[in-house]
Amino acid sequence: MGEIVADYGGTMKSGRVSSVIVERLQSGHDILEGLNELVRRRHVTAADLSAIGAVSNAVVGYFIGQGRYSPITLDGPLEIVSCMGNVSLKENQPFVHAHISLSNAEGSVYGGHLLPGCTVGATFEATLHVHEEKLTRTLDPNTGLFLLDI
Ligand code: ZN
């Protein structure tokens, strides 16, 4: 458990960025699968993630409690306005938690929790700021989610 830093109950962990990784996922590949493969191959144990690009189709999740997400299917092609998240260790495996915002031809934006089924369109350009110290997650019985141990 991290140090309590504020009256609102915020907890924190601080440290340094050790390296930066920029990687492009190729058209036709599943984004979440590609990101998880990337962090396992590079042995990333903590990082913050940001990405832009496009998808040919997407599935995002809306949290409905007890560790479950209601899936929302979005037909593409769609622009990735923003994809951001983090990398930590979940059950000793590098794990990506990310959210994604996607815009259509009218400029309307939809988004949610990044689920399997988001397929890279023209490109997917990801930047990872890798942390020196690892981050871990533990199952929280109240939400059914693996939350950061800070
Ligand atoms: Zn999420």
Side-chain angles (χ1 to χ4, degrees):
M1 200 61 149
E3 166 195 6
I4 294 177
V5 294
D7 289 343
Y8 57 80
T11 56
M12 70 167 284
K13 184 175 177 178
S14 60
R16 294 174 189 276
V17 170
S18 65
S19 66
V20 178
I21 296 171
V22 180
E23 188 151 325
R24 191 163 77 83
L25 301 183
Q26 305 292 320
S27 180
H29 288 263
D30 186 87
I31 291 173
L32 188 56
E33 194 177 293
L35 288 173
N36 275 313
E37 204 276 325
L38 158 66
V39 297
R40 285 170 191 168
R41 176 165 36 86
R42 300 275 199 134
H43 307 289
V44 176
T45 59
D48 47 274
L49 158 75
S50 61
I52 53 173
V55 299
S56 56
N57 47 62
V59 180
V60 298
Y62 178 76
F63 183 62
I64 54 171
Q66 303 307 312
R68 292 169 52 231
Y69 291 88
S70 174
I72 302 157
T73 299
L74 302 168
D75 293 326
L78 300 163
E79 204 76 36
I80 300 172
V81 176
S82 171
C83 177
M84 56 190 307
N86 55 46
V87 181
S88 58
L89 292 174
K90 176 184 164 187
E91 296 177 323
N92 292 317
Q93 282 273 18
F95 166 77
V96 172
H97 176 207
H99 290 187
I100 191 166
S101 300
L102 301 156
S103 66
N104 64 15
E106 285 77 46
S108 299
V109 175
Y110 298 88
H113 181 91
L114 182 67
L115 288 175
C118 291
T119 308
V120 179
T123 189
F124 184 84
E125 301 171 347
T127 303
L128 288 169
H129 293 126
V130 181
H131 304 180
E132 274 184 352
E133 287 187 44
K134 69 181 180 183
L135 281 169
T136 57
R137 289 182 177 275
T138 301
L139 182 61
D140 169 50
N142 294 323
T143 60
L145 297 173
F146 283 79
L147 301 182
L148 286 176
D149 299 317
I150 56 173

